[in-house]
Amino acid sequence: MATSTVTAGPLRRVPVQGRSVARVQRMLDACAVLVDEVGYDGLTTTLLAERAGVAIGSVYQFFPDKRAIVQALTLRNMEAYLQRLSARFGQGDLENWWDGVDAGIDEYISMHRSLPGFRTLHFGDIVDVHLLDDERDNNAVIAEELARVLVEQFGVADEPRLRFALEIAVESADALIKLAFRRDPEGDDEVLGEAKALIREYLHRHVDVSTT
């Protein structure tokens, strides 16, 4: 699920005209496919320009290097993830905060299965653990966003222990989901099921149900 939004982030300049926005999106789309094919180490700006059908000068017009391109793709993926969560919660069939957590895991798994480049890059940790934010590591950013959603959607108490518990949960889920996709390119269902059960059991011990 790509978005058409282009924010400043790692860009040298933000495209304004429609053609420039489309050109940058083509570069990010090409990057997503290429990292699945050749990995981050095999990715080059020349290869990306060829795949995107743009001049190499166009790449450097917007990005200083391949890291910046991957960072922009990762930020786009983060935006797509939050949009998926918003759409899922908007259906109105999630009754409890743990249903929200399950939905968050399900969308993460779905992106591994359907979004080019995501199973290789995840949220950027293979490149830099601070790719999403200069101060916080990538999974801490995800945990913070999940905490915000749980507070807003389910009235969970907004307190430090919630964020701490979600950081542990996100790290654990991330490791187990990676294991599932190493065992099976489509994700080992048994491992994924155990991951969800483990995370739910852990969070039930740390999130006070009376705050929902």
Side-chain angles (χ1 to χ4, degrees):
M1 174 181 173
T3 75
S4 59
T5 303
V6 179
T7 55
L11 289 167
R12 276 180 162 162
R13 71 181 186 87
V14 178
V16 177
Q17 295 182 342
R19 285 183 299 177
S20 295
V21 171
R23 191 179 308 127
V24 170
Q25 293 297 340
R26 286 206 310 276
M27 294 179 203
L28 298 184
D29 291 342
C31 178
V33 173
L34 284 169
V35 293
D36 276 343
E37 292 179 2
V38 301
Y40 177 72
D41 290 338
L43 179 68
T44 66
T45 52
T46 300
L47 192 59
L48 184 139
E50 292 174 354
R51 182 63 62 90
V54 301
I56 188 67
S58 293
V59 175
Y60 288 113
Q61 182 181 11
F62 294 103
F63 301 102
D65 51 35
K66 74 173 185 179
R67 181 189 184 281
I69 301 168
V70 169
Q71 185 177 13
L73 175 61
T74 301
L75 291 169
R76 189 177 77 170
N77 288 344
M78 177 66 172
E79 183 178 352
Y81 178 66
L82 295 177
Q83 288 180 348
R84 284 170 176 245
L85 280 186
S86 178
R88 181 69 182 85
F89 289 175
Q91 294 176 11
D93 59 344
L94 305 178
E95 297 182 0
N96 302 290
W97 63 263
W98 54 84
D99 294 325
V101 172
D102 278 353
I105 295 173
D106 286 340
E107 291 302 333
Y108 189 63
I109 293 169
S110 176
M111 288 176 69
H112 273 74
R113 288 173 169 157
S114 63
L115 198 66
F118 191 76
R119 71 174 59 191
T120 301
L121 293 174
H122 309 286
F123 283 118
D125 50 296
I126 70 162
V127 179
D128 186 342
V129 295
H130 293 108
L131 201 64
L132 290 173
D133 186 277
D134 290 337
E135 301 296 327
R136 300 169 294 166
D137 66 39
N138 300 326
N139 280 343
V141 174
I142 303 302
E144 183 75 20
E145 290 296 334
L146 287 175
R148 178 184 60 79
V149 170
L150 293 181
V151 169
E152 293 177 356
Q153 296 287 333
F154 301 101
V156 173
D158 188 2
E159 54 189 12
R161 70 171 180 166
L162 172 65
R163 282 162 174 73
F164 176 78
L166 283 172
E167 283 194 43
I168 299 297
V170 168
E171 289 286 350
S172 301
D174 187 39
L176 289 171
I177 290 170
K178 287 175 182 175
L179 171 62
F181 280 88
R182 288 199 302 271
R183 289 169 63 112
D184 183 334
E186 291 302 312
D188 185 294
D189 286 332
E190 186 174 5
V191 174
L192 294 174
E194 288 297 311
K196 293 177 69 173
L198 184 151
I199 297 307
R200 176 181 283 205
E201 181 179 349
Y202 170 76
L203 287 177
H204 265 295
R205 298 201 309 268
H206 293 275
V207 177
D208 188 348
V209 177
S210 66
T211 63
T212 61

